[in-house]
Amino acid sequence: MATVELRFSALPEHVRTARLVAAAVARRAGVDESVLDEVRLAVGEACSRAVGLHQRGDAHGAIRVALIEQEKRFLIEVADEAGDNGTSSSAADDSADPGEDALGLAVITGLVEDVEVSNGGEGGLIRMSWPVSTAPVAV
């Protein structure tokens, strides 16, 4: 089981890098070529959402993207340190657009069959996974 971990400050310009790295690692892990665009888009949405939560909540922590190669699945975790305001029902925060979070989560759940969204006092976590082929991938 191999893991690649990225940590970046909550700036929109880092989202593109996270998408590119996720697609490259997914390809190497054996994710089917036909779903690599979905991986790229889902990671972009999850990271953009995390950046927005950090900026709206004035959080200073890093965004963490873990790319985990398992035996039969490729798992991606996007974690923010935005605190409790990372839920999709953040209507109590006047500066946040609740529709923006809901739309981002709707896009992710539309792209990824296996997705979990959780939130705690430390921040939120989006966990997504895709099946991998058992054929060896050329590097």
Side-chain angles (χ1 to χ4, degrees):
M1 233 191 298
T3 300
V4 173
E5 187 170 291
L6 305 172
R7 287 185 178 273
F8 59 91
S9 55
L11 298 171
E13 51 266 23
H14 297 307
V15 172
R16 182 174 188 266
T17 302
R19 281 195 317 250
L20 293 171
V21 171
V25 175
R27 177 179 286 120
R28 187 185 179 297
V31 173
D32 191 79
E33 287 287 327
S34 65
V35 290
L36 287 178
D37 282 338
E38 294 172 10
V39 171
R40 207 176 350 262
L41 287 170
V43 169
E45 284 296 326
C47 289
S48 293
R49 179 179 180 272
V51 167
L53 291 172
H54 274 248
Q55 290 179 343
R56 286 192 305 264
D58 198 29
H60 300 290
I63 295 168
R64 181 184 63 85
V65 180
L67 310 163
I68 305 161
E69 184 180 346
Q70 297 177 335
E71 189 175 327
K72 296 184 181 191
R73 308 279 308 164
F74 178 66
L75 177 69
I76 298 178
E77 295 178 344
V78 178
D80 65 68
E81 296 178 4
D84 272 334
N85 65 358
T87 61
S88 60
S89 59
S90 59
D93 183 3
D94 293 335
S95 66
D97 178 7
E100 186 178 323
D101 278 346
L103 179 61
L105 290 174
V107 169
I108 293 167
T109 56
L111 290 168
V112 185
E113 213 172 281
D114 183 20
V115 63
E116 296 175 31
V117 179
S118 60
N119 189 47
E122 298 293 315
L125 176 69
I126 297 177
R127 179 177 287 130
M128 308 169 278
S129 73
W130 293 266
V132 294
S133 67
T134 56
V137 178
V139 179

